[in-house]
Amino acid sequence: MAKKTYDLLFKLLLIGDSGVGKTCILFRFSDDAFTTTFISTIGIDFKIKTVELQGKKIKLQIWDTAGQERFHTITTSYYRGAMGIMLVYDITNEKSFENIVKWLRNINEHANEDVEKMILGNKCDMDDKRVVGKSRGEGIAREHNISFLETSAKANINIEKAFTDLTLSILNKTPGREPTDVPEKINIDRKSDRLSNRCC
Amino acid sequence: MELSAIMKDKLNAGDNVVALHEGVLLQGWSPKAHRLLALVERNLSFGLFVFTTSRNPPQAFTDLTINFVVPIDSDFKCDIDSLSAESNSDIYINLSARNFKLFMGMDSGHETNHFFNELSRSMDLYLKNQQTLDFQWLKKYNINDIDLELGLMMNINGDNTSNNIITANMAVAENDISFPTGTQTLSSRESVIQRQMILSEEQYTNAQNFRIYIGTWNVNGQPTLSSLNDWLTCDSEPPDIYAIGFQELDLSKEAFLFNDSPREEEWLQAVTKSLNSKGNYKKVSLVRLVGMMLIVFVKNKHMDHVKNVATDTVGTGIMGKLGNKGGVAVRMDFHNTSLCFVNTHLAAHVEEYERRNQDYQNICSRMVFSNFIPPKTVKDHNQVYWFGDLNYRITEMDAISVKDLVRKNNFKNVLEADQLKQQHRAGNVFKGYKEGSINFLPTYKYDPGTNDWDSSEKNRAPAWCDRILWRGNSIKQLAYRSHPNLLISDHKPVSALFESEVRVVDLTKYRKIHEHIMKKLDKAENEYLPQVMVDNTEIIFHNVKFMEPQLKELTVANTGQVPVQFEFIKKLDDSTYCKEWLRIEPFMSFIDPGEKCDITLEVLIDKKSAYKMISGQDKLYDILVLHLDGGKDIFITVTGNYERSCFGCSLETLCYLKVPIKNIPFGKLMELENNKSNMTSDPYPVPKEVWYLVDHLYRHGLKQEHLFEHSGLRSEFVQIRNWLDNGTPDALPGSVHSVAEALLILLDSTSEPIIPYNLHATCLSAVSYYSQCKQIISQLPERSKNVFLYLCAFLQELLNHVNDNKLDVKTIASVFGEIFIRDPPRSRSDKSGHTRTSMSRKKTNFVYHFLVNDQSDLIINTSF
Ligand SMILES: Nc1nc2c(ncn2[C@@H]2O[C@H](COP(=O)(O)OP(=O)(O)O)[C@@H](O)[C@H]2O)c(=O)[nH]1
Ligand SMILES: [Mg+2]
């Protein structure tokens, strides 16, 4: 029986204009479901999902933000502490793509310096209504040295991959947290003090 | 349909519902987790079924899900705890079986009684009929959905049968998440997963048989023999596991006092050499306490599946401590089954069977593998093999008869007189253990070096001191024998061979189920996050008026599964959670699942905020952050429109307003307030609003007693405000007191007082000198100076009528001192009471000068 030796908690954040599909992306990833009813997110919400990567169990706490203009200043206060940020635009909405630059600026001003970023061009199932070419997405990602994927929450394209890639890039730059393997035999350290280390 | 009928539909044909009852799982995640318990019978064997219901009460069998099935057998236990019922009439029930522990609450009553009567009847029936019972029918129920609550329950109650080993270096980076229950951490989540895995063990493991060889020998302190093959390799097929126990390995003082013995190594060598040569063995563990030694070997190829090996020793000798008697044990997980080997040497002497029973109990309770959380004892293992020199003798039969009977291989009659058989049957020792039938000669006591019975004068009856027992499911004994050819000791070695069923993990299935459980836990964790609905996230206040509070309600409903604590929190760099003109009641509270909380929002624009609204420094707009403890934040937008009023405008602005403020566009007002307007028309010397109010008092209030001392009426203030702001042709409404108060409020609501803040210090240091005070006034901005002098002139006139109005100049000076030289906002509380009194006195004195002296010289210099 494989014994768990390690646990990590990563905080991820989804940002982008209202209506680009942030909530749907999160819902697809956490519940493997999709709904077409659009209920605008009025606030900040999160979901939990545990993934196993490179033999480590990683708990993702994924924050979904309100995209409306009037909440922009408030939502920036939630950037702090995020280890990974997904910037989402809608390939059928030019404006949402143009605003990516604005969102990037927001990140630079408010997020941790070493935050991992990723750009997602969502709704790629709607090719007939596409107004933002894939190459433009790739272009802006290259320009800022960020990885890029086109996704569809509806058709479940690249959703899992997007989260896995982002998680991996966070994981791979945390060398200080390399786990020391615990032998399978019994460990005498009964009262580990991990509870007291927890800060909430 | 009747519930028992619905239940019958759910069960396989021929399985009968004997009793049914509902209970609530305690200490689970959710506040109320109902479960249905059913006692089901088939051919006199019973099973306890645990159901969840998707509809309450269930309408059809599809509303029922079987979460768990346990056989009512020797592992099943049921404790009813009525003592813990404090305030209510609930009773608490502990049910446990292999890999199963359930803690439930039920209301005490007839139905509960009935259910437990039936349950205990079924347990009695098991004891009567256990040999003939068959529980195969229970296996036909496929439990494929894992009951999370059950898993959590077991976690909290600390079920001993799990592999709950704490691993170090669990660097849990749990930074800013706090779960609603406060107790759920990643590590407890990990143990929930482990527990769940154990519960679904049947689904990812296959039963596989392994051969286990158990040997025991009291060697009477003799040096080792060169070969032990007769004992250890008497079977042609090599066993998978060897567990070999010795007693009286070393009778020397050194061994007794220092637990140090050269014999250990000697015997280890001898044993190692004598293991079946067709198998390759690896030593798993060796444990020794004085003369008791236990060595466990496992075939090399199985070593990867041996985990969590641990040992412990218990001395029961003199003072219940020393290790001349007692036991040593090795435990390990072999594949997915936990094994425990216990080698004991119990109290000696023929008549002392009660001491032997006591030693057994002692070892049971004191043998603890404490590296586990919770610590494991012998009984917490799937399989236990208990052996050694148990020292039980033959009593009630003389030595001659025993020797005679056993020579004729008539063991049966002798065994009737065996203390162990008797005590076991009476339930005094080795409860739950089994022993195979004995078809070999007693193993004690011989003359060393021979097969002759002890020839010493004691002439004791020979006895089966050396025994092997076991406990656990699916263990088949293949052989149970003694080895008379080994002659060195006064005991003969004994061995047993078992074919034991071990659960072997199917890795593919294991991963699948593990993943499934993780997903379920994630889902549960998400579902158990606090959830609320608010009926409105955009609250609009229409036509908010100066000094007129407006209320709106906001309803927060707890739509989740856990109690919610909410709080309005500060956002960004704000120092408060809402603007100064807003009040939220309550701003923090608890809501139970299914309950609601009504929150009142009150907007009040008063003198503190009115001038900010007029000048555009602030507006009726705020975003509130409603934070759920351990959960999400909801943004609530508060907006509205403020009806402009002369209250809050600067005197300068008011002087430029020739028409009622109602008719001035907001933008224009803002320009005026910010001095960005180029007004062409000449301003009034004093605001018309000041003039209206003063004029009214002049005409109606000169003889009024307590003017500026009595407060006005709120309702009249509203009328006066409307009159000033809307400019109606009617007469100014309200009593003179209300008008007087309106005047004070008007002067008090400007952003700067008549004497600007930056001059206050100068004023207060000049109070002793009227000329200096006059100097200050003469340098005031035009409009402020006008208003000041205009009011002083009016007050002087008022004071000319003291005979009628009984006013006192000091009182008036004090009232207007606070108005003219109004303290900056939030400065009052910073000062000590003493400073405040002295400041008030100075302000009074300042104004006093202007009420008692003639100021025509000042007035002449103005354009008034
Ligand atoms: N066709 C298509 N529609 C999507 C996709 N993702 C989201 N939507 C729709 O876009 C609308 C807004 O989605 P939502 O997730 O609420 O956007 P958010 O404001 O960014 O959270 C909803 O009506 C969704 O059904 C997608 O991948 N494909
Ligand atoms: Mg959304």
Side-chain angles (χ1 to χ4, degrees), chain A residues 1 4 7 9 42-45 48 50 59 61 70 73-74 78 180 182 184 186 188 190 194 199, chain B residues 169-171 173-175 179 186-187 189-190 308 336 370-371 510 522 525-526 623 632-633 635 637:
Chain A
M1 209 192 289
K4 185 211 63 168
D7 259 329
L9 183 114
I42 308 289
I44 301 282
D45 201 352
I48 294 293
T50 315
K59 185 168 183 171
Q61 190 188 30
R70 65 190 152 117
T73 38
I74 301 186
Y78 293 85
T180 38
V182 173
E184 294 284 13
I186 296 174
I188 306 299
R190 261 213 273 171
R194 69 215 136 83
C199 61
Chain B
N169 302 319
M170 281 209 282
E174 188 130 340
N175 40 32
F179 289 104
L186 283 186
S187 53
R189 178 192 157 102
E190 186 59 28
N308 307 321
N336 228 38
S370 53
N371 316 45
Y510 175 88
D522 279 348
E525 215 169 284
N526 285 323
I623 295 177
K632 63 177 170 184
D633 292 356
F635 299 158
T637 312

Side-chain angles (χ1 to χ4, degrees), chain A residues 17-118:
Chain A
D17 283 8
S18 180
V20 297
K22 298 180 294 298
T23 303
C24 287
I25 288 172
L26 178 53
F27 197 55
R28 166 64 74 190
F29 182 59
S30 72
D31 291 44
D32 198 22
F34 179 81
T35 81
T36 44
T37 48
F38 177 53
I39 302 165
S40 183
T41 311
I42 308 289
I44 301 282
D45 201 352
F46 68 85
K47 278 188 182 275
I48 294 293
K49 169 109 177 169
T50 315
V51 294
E52 246 183 287
L53 288 175
Q54 299 180 348
K56 283 164 209 128
K57 267 192 208 114
I58 301 159
K59 185 168 183 171
L60 303 178
Q61 190 188 30
I62 310 157
W63 292 77
D64 180 20
T65 60
Q68 280 109 311
E69 194 80 40
R70 65 190 152 117
F71 297 134
H72 284 184
T73 38
I74 301 186
T75 47
T76 55
S77 65
Y78 293 85
Y79 290 15
R80 215 166 19 93
M83 298 152 91
I85 296 183
M86 284 180 174
L87 293 105
V88 189
Y89 70 89
D90 172 356
I91 64 150
T92 69
N93 179 337
E94 176 70 31
K95 185 84 196 136
S96 75
F97 177 72
E98 286 166 9
N99 278 340
I100 285 291
V101 185
K102 213 180 70 189
W103 289 110
L104 276 169
R105 201 168 335 113
N106 253 337
I107 294 175
N108 285 341
E109 283 168 20
H110 300 282
N112 294 353
E113 209 167 304
D114 62 343
V115 68
E116 283 295 322
K117 286 161 277 190
M118 177 163 224

Side-chain angles (χ1 to χ4, degrees), chain B residues 553-580:
Chain B
E553 287 235 314
L554 174 70
T555 303
V556 183
N558 185 345
T559 52
Q561 320 242 26
V562 289
V564 163
Q565 184 186 356
F566 73 80
E567 182 183 359
F568 286 91
I569 56 166
K570 290 178 215 169
K571 54 184 181 294
L572 305 168
D573 309 321
D574 292 357
S575 55
T576 50
Y577 58 85
C578 68
K579 296 264 183 82
E580 57 183 352

